[in-house]
């Protein structure tokens, strides 16, 4: 392949890559909207992905992560740590709670599901100021095993996917 052919190939693939990326974002938004609606209506959070009536190729799921502990008010959190665990404060030109201590507390509070922390040495249960439990955004997960990917590749090569994907990329659609 000469340099002109390489340049043409790169330009075509770059254009298609961008167009496919935009279509993928739109398709995932539609999928998430559909899964959210299905969950609200019937409780369904997972659907089987099929290319045709006989061939299942994977699943699409609405994943709802559990709430996680986050430091919502740094100053309140820092003041509490200074009062109870001063050794976990690093003194510089600014006062900050050690990152490892914060991470450990947040992990333990996330596991407990509340913004409280039990000191393992004393057993004292602390309501930790400045920390809140916040829900995380739901997202979709596509699970397509190798066999499903192979089926998609074969269907793509045979032209069997034109009704499903990329109609905008055919004849003048990639802009």
């Amino acid at each position: 392949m000469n340099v002109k052919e390489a340049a043409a190939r790169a330009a075509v693939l770059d254009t298609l890559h961008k167009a496919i990326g935009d279509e993928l974002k739109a398709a995932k938004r539609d999928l998430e909207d559909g899964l959210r609606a299905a969950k609200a209506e019937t409780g369904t959070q997972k659907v089987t992905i099929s290319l045709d009536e006989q061939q299942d190729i994977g699943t699409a799921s609405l994943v709802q992560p559990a709430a996680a502990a986050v430091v919502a008010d740094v100053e309140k959190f820092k003041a509490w740590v200074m009062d109870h665990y001063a050794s976990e404060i690093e003194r510089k030109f600014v006062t900050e709670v050690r990152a490892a201590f914060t991470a450990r507390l947040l992990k333990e509070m996330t596991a407990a599901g509340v913004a409280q922390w039990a000191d393992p040495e004393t057993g004292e249960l602390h309501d930790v100021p400045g920390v809140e439990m916040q829900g995380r955004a739901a997202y979709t997960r596509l699970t397509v095993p190798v066999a499903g990917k192979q089926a998609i590749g074969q269907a793509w090569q045979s032209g069997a996917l034109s009704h499903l994907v990329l109609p905008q990329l055919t004849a003048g659609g990639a802009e």
Side-chain angles (χ1 to χ4, degrees), residues 61-94:
S61 308
L62 181 65
V63 179
Q64 304 236 195
V70 297
V71 175
D73 187 324
V74 174
E75 292 306 314
K76 286 181 181 177
F77 178 69
K78 188 187 315 178
W80 174 79
V81 173
M82 287 179 72
D83 288 345
H84 297 280
Y85 302 95
S87 64
E88 296 298 333
I89 297 292
E90 291 182 302
R91 299 199 187 276
K92 301 177 185 179
F93 290 111
V94 289

Side-chain angles (χ1 to χ4, degrees), residues 1 28 34 74 81-82 85 99-100 107 119 138 152:
M1 176 179 308
K28 284 188 173 182
V74 174
V81 173
M82 287 179 72
Y85 302 95
K107 182 179 178 183
D119 185 324
I152 290 170

